[in-house]
Amino acid sequence: PPVYFGGSSAAAGPVAARHSDVYLTWGEPPAQVAAKLDWIRKLAAEAGRTVRFGIRLHVISRDTGDEAWAQARRLLDGIADADITAAQEGLRRSESEGQRRMLDLHGGSRDGLEISPNLWAGVGLVRGGAGTALVGSHTEVADRIAEYHALGLDEFVLSGHPHVEEAYWFGEGVLPILRARGLWHHPAGAPTVSQPAGIPFATPPVPTARR
């Protein structure tokens, strides 16, 4: 199986360069991601290898940017400042360099959480690991994905809250835009009109002859 590896420390880079198929970074602003990819490319070249690149992000995509940002605010509205402080204190004890970089994006404050166009660090106030989300209209989210893709990122590991609902927003709103731009295609290929829905319990049974 292909090996995905993420790490931002000085020790992690050579391991990724020598052994991974895909180097996976958390969602930092594009300039920081570009610098990290250049670092891994150089180490991989020195090891006589090439690696692919991916990014781990959350997504809040809506029909308009205002709706998306309103949803982002709602995710934090019910969380008390004391809970954020407690979460930050725990996360600051981590020895992970990647976690430190995530925490530095927001500094533990609710203010200034849009750290780059459509890149929101609010998730990281209460969650360890990947702490940023792409927030905006479907077109804006597609634009940011295209921007990251231009840096050399080919694989996107995305999620949202609640998981199922956000998957529908993304699948119905963003993927058609990426498909139209030639940046995404369905792994099963383009559907045809003649194809059945593929839902077993909704497919009429095939009649059989009786004797």
Side-chain angles (χ1 to χ4, degrees), residues 6-9 26 28 36 87-107 121 123-132:
S8 299
S9 69
W26 287 334
E28 299 177 12
K36 189 181 289 187
Q88 291 298 296
E89 288 175 351
L91 293 171
R92 288 284 177 191
R93 291 194 290 270
S94 170
E95 297 182 3
S96 165
E97 176 65 13
Q99 184 63 72
R100 181 195 67 77
R101 291 169 69 108
M102 285 285 101
L103 296 175
D104 287 350
L105 293 177
H106 53 67
V123 179
L125 288 176
V126 291
R127 181 193 191 279
T132 53

Side-chain angles (χ1 to χ4, degrees), residues 27-170:
E28 299 177 12
Q32 292 175 238
V33 171
K36 189 181 289 187
L37 268 53
D38 287 343
W39 171 52
I40 297 297
R41 284 192 189 99
K42 180 176 182 295
L43 292 174
E46 292 171 354
R49 301 184 70 243
T50 59
V51 298
R52 303 194 311 278
F53 295 102
I55 191 167
R56 172 75 177 93
L57 286 159
H58 303 281
V59 180
I60 303 174
S61 177
R62 294 294 184 272
D63 293 334
T64 68
D66 287 344
E67 291 176 285
W69 285 110
Q71 173 62 14
R73 289 190 295 271
R74 278 194 292 271
L75 290 176
L76 289 181
D77 281 346
I79 301 174
D81 289 342
D83 293 331
I84 292 177
T85 299
Q88 291 298 296
E89 288 175 351
L91 293 171
R92 288 284 177 191
R93 291 194 290 270
S94 170
E95 297 182 3
S96 165
E97 176 65 13
Q99 184 63 72
R100 181 195 67 77
R101 291 169 69 108
M102 285 285 101
L103 296 175
D104 287 350
L105 293 177
H106 53 67
S109 172
R110 294 177 186 261
D111 301 322
L113 290 174
E114 188 177 4
I115 55 174
S116 184
N118 303 109
L119 184 65
W120 184 63
V123 179
L125 288 176
V126 291
R127 181 193 191 279
T132 53
L134 296 180
V135 180
S137 68
H138 304 312
T139 298
E140 288 170 335
V141 170
D143 288 343
R144 298 290 78 78
I145 289 175
E147 182 178 11
Y148 281 117
H149 174 68
L151 300 178
L153 293 158
D154 294 318
E155 308 211 17
F156 292 78
V157 182
L158 308 173
S159 63
H161 306 282
H163 298 307
V164 174
E165 290 86 340
E166 204 62 51
Y168 272 98
W169 280 110
F170 186 85

Side-chain angles (χ1 to χ4, degrees), residues 1-7 12-24 40 44 47 49-54:
V3 175
Y4 288 65
F5 186 94
V15 176
R18 294 171 188 160
H19 302 293
S20 70
D21 297 295
V22 179
Y23 177 77
L24 193 66
I40 297 297
R49 301 184 70 243
T50 59
V51 298
R52 303 194 311 278
F53 295 102

